[in-house]
């Protein structure tokens, strides 16, 4: 009996390519992304205003301030009878609060618990600590510093893990790793006034990540995911 070789499928045809779920996992609600993008814009204005308030409250003359601090002192209601206006200070914790929904959604795809807990817990504790500091007299900023550093380390750690394992598109991973160079840049925007200066790096990082997760899948993302899945 003669066998029909035409019925035999080539081995290459049965090779199944594993689809990478990175971009489906990367999709988050639009309102989370919008809040995360707005947060550093608000924080920049408020942090810079607080830095100018600090200088004025310390007795520095408006004319001696460099630009744009001088413009802010001359055109914004920063002082009232020699006292800092509270509106620029007390609500600052809200900027961190705006970022938390995106952080919770994106870090839920982290394989390891420690970087996820550092990022979430650090931002959550920093939000509470900054709220207490700016709304309770005599409350120190040591807890702010520790919590913000933990959030910064966790954010970069998440990015490194995703970059190594291909759990998310590379653009999202690099956005989180960029927290390191963005922190001094954020400090410059807020005139190095703490804690806003330290918080700005993380806020800017998650704002960029919010823009990255909102993009459609590209051929480069698909190729990177395929290489990571092999």
């Amino acid at each position: 009996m003669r066998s029909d070789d035409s019925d035999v499928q080539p081995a290459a045809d049965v090779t199944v390519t594993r689809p990478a779920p990175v971009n489906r996992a990367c999709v988050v609600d639009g309102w989370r992304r919008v809040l995360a993008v707005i947060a550093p814009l608000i924080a920049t204005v408020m942090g810079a205003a607080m830095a100018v308030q600090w200088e004025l409250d310390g007795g520095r003359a408006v004319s001696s301030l460099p630009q744009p601090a001088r413009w802010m002192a001359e055109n914004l209601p920063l002082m009232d009878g020699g006292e800092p206006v509270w509106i620029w200070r007390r609500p600052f914790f809200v900027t961190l609060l705006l970022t938390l929904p995106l952080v919770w959604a994106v870090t839920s795809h982290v394989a390891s618990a420690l970087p996820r807990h550092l990022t979430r817990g650090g931002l959550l504790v920093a939000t509470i600590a900054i709220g207490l500091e700016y709304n309770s007299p005599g409350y120190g900023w040591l807890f702010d510093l520790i919590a913000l550093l933990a959030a910064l380390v966790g954010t970069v750690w998440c990015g490194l893990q995703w970059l190594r394992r291909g759990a998310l598109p590379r653009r999202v991973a690099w956005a989180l790793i960029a927290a390191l160079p963005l922190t001094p840049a954020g400090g410059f925007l807020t005139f190095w006034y703490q804690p806003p200066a330290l918080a700005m790096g993380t806020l800017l990082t998650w704002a960029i990540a919010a823009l990255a997760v909102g993009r459609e899948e590209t051929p480069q993302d698909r190729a990177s995911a395929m290489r990571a899945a092999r």
Side-chain angles (χ1 to χ4, degrees):
M1 180 182 294
R2 184 174 60 86
S3 61
D4 191 354
D5 294 338
S6 61
D7 293 337
V8 179
Q9 296 295 328
D13 292 343
V14 299
T15 301
V16 178
T17 301
R18 290 181 295 174
V22 289
N23 291 291
R24 290 195 297 271
C26 194
V27 175
V28 297
D29 296 330
W31 64 272
R32 299 174 188 264
R33 291 158 39 209
V34 170
L35 293 180
V37 171
I38 292 175
L41 302 179
I42 301 174
T44 299
V45 176
M46 296 184 66
M50 283 190 283
V52 177
Q53 285 180 327
W54 177 268
E55 295 292 334
L56 297 177
D57 192 39
R60 185 168 182 176
V62 175
S63 58
S64 66
L65 293 173
Q67 294 292 358
R70 185 190 304 176
W71 181 92
M72 297 182 71
E74 293 173 345
N75 295 276
L76 296 179
L78 302 181
M79 308 295 290
D80 182 16
E83 295 293 329
V85 178
W86 69 270
I87 193 64
W88 303 103
R89 181 179 302 265
R90 294 183 182 177
F92 184 81
F93 73 95
V94 176
T95 60
L96 295 174
L97 192 63
L98 294 175
T99 309
L100 285 175
L102 177 72
V103 172
W104 238 260
V106 176
T107 56
S108 63
H109 305 288
V110 181
S112 301
L114 185 55
R116 179 173 66 249
H117 292 333
L118 276 176
T119 307
R120 291 178 174 181
L123 279 177
L124 183 59
V125 173
T127 301
I128 297 172
I130 291 175
L132 290 174
E133 177 186 353
Y134 287 153
N135 291 273
S136 302
Y139 187 86
W141 58 279
L142 179 61
F143 293 107
D144 308 348
L145 176 64
I146 296 174
L148 288 170
L149 286 175
L152 179 65
V153 171
T155 298
V156 175
W157 193 350
C158 287
L160 290 173
Q161 186 179 84
W162 286 330
L163 189 64
R164 180 168 60 90
R165 299 185 180 182
L168 285 178
R170 295 175 66 86
R171 62 175 181 270
V172 181
W174 281 115
L176 300 186
I177 296 172
L180 290 177
L182 285 176
T183 296
F188 175 79
L189 291 175
T190 54
F191 307 145
W192 304 107
Y193 182 73
Q194 297 293 348
L198 187 57
M200 282 300 299
T202 303
L203 292 177
L204 287 171
T205 293
W206 284 101
I208 296 174
L211 299 175
V213 298
R215 289 173 49 190
E216 294 294 332
E217 182 183 19
T218 64
Q220 292 80 8
D221 295 328
R222 194 178 300 110
S224 299
M226 293 297 300
R227 287 194 297 269
R230 289 173 182 172

